[in-house]
């Protein structure tokens, strides 16, 4: 079987190759994996290993591989949603897309690059600003996108996170009137490759969390003064933070009810009654070599906030850090590997490169947040980084808490020809209680709508 798989792969006959993998999936699982492994893939072909391991899921086999738990394959849970792929555009406009009700009809719409698309079918698009297509070998002027009512008029506006180091602008919703939206300066510059969006200061409104002028911090906006740029509040002294800094996040690490800030090399504790611009308390810890979006979440259910992060967003690895407390309450962390930062090319274990966007969301409605991520295609062009031309997989990792073995993660492939950009977003677009997925990247702009499945999904 491995010879047939390898031969079809070398010939580039994808259909036969997939069929061979599917046949392997229905043999003894361990034998199939051993046969696949026996192919002895060439150096640098880690993603091909992923492709073969993933193919049974994607092609509808009942086989699921809990590669991270070291378990034998199990049957797919009936609550795992299926998705229908909508291609909004096959052009490269942006590497981040988002959602909002832009026409106030009570249905969520999608914004991807210069266009917004009317829900719930997303077939009718409108220009927000003059459209521009970009060469997939290069970069766009839009790395991420967020939405909010920035002028307090009751209409959802759009903020485009620019190419790192450039000025960021928000676009004022014309309240149903035709034409391009009015551009307003928000921030100059916006540094970091993965700025996040959330209420970090407890004022009830989301802030942009990023770095500027060599400091980590966040920016606030005042809806009563929409003509004024947003205000940046540093929470660190000047350091080695620059336009291409990798990794940032936020969450309550120490359980005091205040949001702390994460970076690849530390977490910053928010002081009680912190004043804007006040320096937070630094706790050094090497969470990642080059992170993307970082999250605080109680993975194992022990009541303590753990950290979930990509290890290197241009190479490999996804980890969660279990929070530990000593008898004095001092905090440390223990690393748990979800995807190996240094995968063995000779092993059939699940592996994927360049996880440059991560979202934490309860996909299957079981009350536990799952990890939504994928491969960023051509992050540095067709010759850059680890396996730039491998299949652009979009997938989610289902979290289960085993009472004996602890947290287990099971992969579910959504698509193999899209991946993520520098952002991946999730929201219930079709109103069925299941998160749908929104992606924009060098392959185009996409929506993945959940479809009815066998068994009732929790809502």
């Amino acid at each position: 079987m491995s010879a047939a798989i390898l031969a079809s792969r070398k010939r580039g006959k994808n259909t036969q190759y997939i069929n061979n993998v599917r046949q392997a999936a229905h043999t003894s699982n361990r034998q199939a994996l051993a046969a696949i492994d026996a192919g002895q893939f060439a150096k640098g072909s880690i993603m091909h290993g992923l492709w073969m391991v993933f193919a049974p899921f994607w092609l509808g086999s009942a086989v699921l591989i809990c590669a991270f738990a070291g378990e034998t394959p199990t049957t797919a849970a009936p609550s795992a949603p299926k998705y229908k792929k909508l291609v909004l555009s096959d052009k490269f406009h942006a590497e981040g897309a988002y959602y909002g009700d832009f026409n106030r009809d009570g249905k969520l719409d999608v914004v991807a690059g210069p266009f917004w698309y009317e829900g719930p079918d997303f077939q009718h698009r409108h220009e927000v600003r003059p459209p521009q297509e970009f060469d997939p070998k290069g970069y766009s002027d839009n790395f991420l996108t967020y939405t909010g009512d920035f002028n307090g008029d009751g209409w959802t506006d759009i903020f485009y996170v620019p190419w790192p180091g450039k000025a960021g602008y928000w676009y004022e919703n014309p309240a149903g009137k035709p034409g391009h939206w009015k551009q307003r300066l928000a921030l100059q510059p916006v540094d970091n490759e993965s700025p996040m969006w959330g209420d970090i200061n407890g004022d009830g409104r989301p802030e942009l969390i990023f770095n500027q002028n060599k400091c980590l911090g966040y920016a606030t906006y005042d809806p009563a003064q929409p003509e004024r740029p947003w205000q940046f509040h540093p929470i660190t002294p000047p350091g080695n933070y620059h336009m291409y800094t990798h990794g940032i996040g936020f969450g309550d690490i120490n359980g005091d009810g205040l949001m702390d800030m994460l970076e690849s090399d530390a977490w910053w504790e928010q002081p009680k009654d912190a004043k804007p611009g006040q320096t937070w308390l630094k706790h050094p810890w090497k969470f990642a070599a080059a992170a993307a979006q970082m999250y605080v979440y109680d993975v194992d259910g022990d009541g303590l906030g753990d950290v979930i992060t990509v290890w290197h967003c241009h190479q490999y690895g996804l980890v969660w850090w279990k929070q530990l407390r000593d008898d004095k309450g001092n905090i440390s962390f223990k690393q748990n590997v979800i995807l190996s930062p240094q995968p063995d090319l000779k092993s059939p274990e699940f592996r994927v490169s360049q996880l440059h966007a991560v979202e934490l969301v309860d996909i299957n409605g079981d009350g536990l947040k799952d990890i939504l991520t994928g491969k960023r295609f051509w992050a540095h062009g067709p010759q850059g980084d680890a396996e730039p031309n491998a299949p652009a997989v979009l997938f989610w990792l289902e979290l289960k808490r085993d009472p004996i073995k602890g947290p287990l993660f099971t992969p579910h492939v959504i698509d193999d020809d899209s991946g993520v950009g520098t952002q991946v977003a999730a929201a219930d677009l079709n109103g069925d209680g299941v998160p749908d997925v929104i992606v924009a990247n060098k392959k185009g702009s996409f929506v993945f709508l959940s479809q009815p499945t066998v068994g009732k999904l929790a809502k």
Side-chain angles (χ1 to χ4, degrees), residues 166-457:
K166 305 294 184 180
Y169 296 90
W170 68 273
Y171 286 73
E172 183 177 344
N173 192 317
K177 298 175 183 178
H180 290 153
W181 298 22
K182 183 176 182 178
Q183 176 184 277
R184 293 185 181 273
L185 176 66
L187 295 159
Q188 171 68 48
V190 178
D191 294 337
N192 199 285
E193 291 200 16
S194 307
M196 294 190 70
W197 187 244
D199 185 7
I200 195 169
N201 65 356
D203 68 353
R205 288 198 293 264
E207 288 81 42
L208 187 71
I209 301 160
F210 65 114
N211 56 276
Q212 185 183 89
N213 300 326
K214 299 185 177 181
C215 298
L216 294 180
Y218 61 92
T220 56
Y221 61 90
D222 183 357
Q225 302 182 80
E227 71 284 352
R228 298 186 60 179
W230 299 2
Q231 185 175 359
F232 179 70
H233 307 278
I235 64 105
T236 73
N240 189 30
Y241 307 111
H242 50 85
M243 66 178 69
Y244 299 124
T245 290
H246 286 89
I248 199 164
F250 68 102
D252 185 4
I253 290 284
N254 57 357
D256 64 355
L258 301 174
M259 295 292 105
D260 307 303
M261 191 173 292
L262 295 166
E263 59 161 301
S264 291
D265 295 323
W267 66 277
W268 293 82
E269 180 182 348
Q270 181 173 176
K272 290 182 173 58
D273 301 318
K275 303 295 188 294
Q278 179 179 342
T279 297
W280 295 8
L281 179 61
K282 183 179 183 179
H283 300 270
W285 196 271
K286 187 69 173 179
F287 290 112
Q293 292 86 1
M294 305 173 71
Y295 295 90
V296 178
Y297 184 66
D298 183 5
V299 175
D300 54 3
D302 65 356
L304 300 177
D306 309 305
V307 174
I308 299 173
T309 179
V310 170
W311 178 254
H312 197 305
C313 64
H314 289 291
Q315 298 296 325
Y316 303 96
L318 179 66
V319 301
W320 72 273
W321 293 88
K322 176 179 173 59
Q323 184 180 149
L324 304 173
R325 302 271 182 108
D326 64 18
D327 55 5
K328 295 182 179 179
N330 296 314
I331 295 174
S332 61
F333 297 90
K334 179 182 179 181
Q335 187 190 80
N336 295 268
V337 174
I338 304 173
L339 298 177
S340 174
Q342 297 179 314
D344 181 358
L345 296 181
K346 297 181 180 180
S347 170
E349 70 176 305
F350 172 77
R351 51 193 182 256
V352 59
S353 66
Q354 303 198 68
L355 306 177
H356 210 303
V358 182
E359 180 62 277
L360 204 62
V361 58
D362 183 4
I363 294 286
N364 59 354
D366 64 355
L368 299 179
K369 289 190 176 182
D370 309 298
I371 301 172
L372 175 64
T373 186
K375 177 184 178 63
R376 182 186 177 197
F377 180 75
W378 282 10
H380 289 147
Q383 304 299 322
D385 303 321
E387 300 193 274
N389 297 298
V393 178
L394 174 67
F395 63 97
W396 63 281
L397 297 160
E398 179 183 1
L399 171 61
K400 292 292 185 184
R401 293 174 179 158
D402 187 283
I404 297 175
K405 298 173 182 177
L408 305 176
F409 289 90
T410 302
H412 300 269
V413 170
I414 297 173
D415 187 54
D416 73 329
D417 191 24
S418 55
V420 300
T422 43
Q423 181 182 28
V424 57
D428 182 9
L429 300 175
N430 58 8
D432 66 353
V434 180
D436 306 296
V437 182
I438 308 160
V439 171
N441 55 34
K442 296 182 180 184
K443 284 182 170 285
S445 301
F446 311 94
V447 165
F448 297 88
L449 290 177
S450 60
Q451 301 296 294
T453 59
V454 177
K456 185 179 180 180
L457 287 173

Side-chain angles (χ1 to χ4, degrees), residues 46-58:
I46 288 177
M47 192 65 185
H48 289 293
L50 163 68
W51 176 249
M52 281 183 278
V53 173
F54 257 121
F57 302 98
W58 176 61

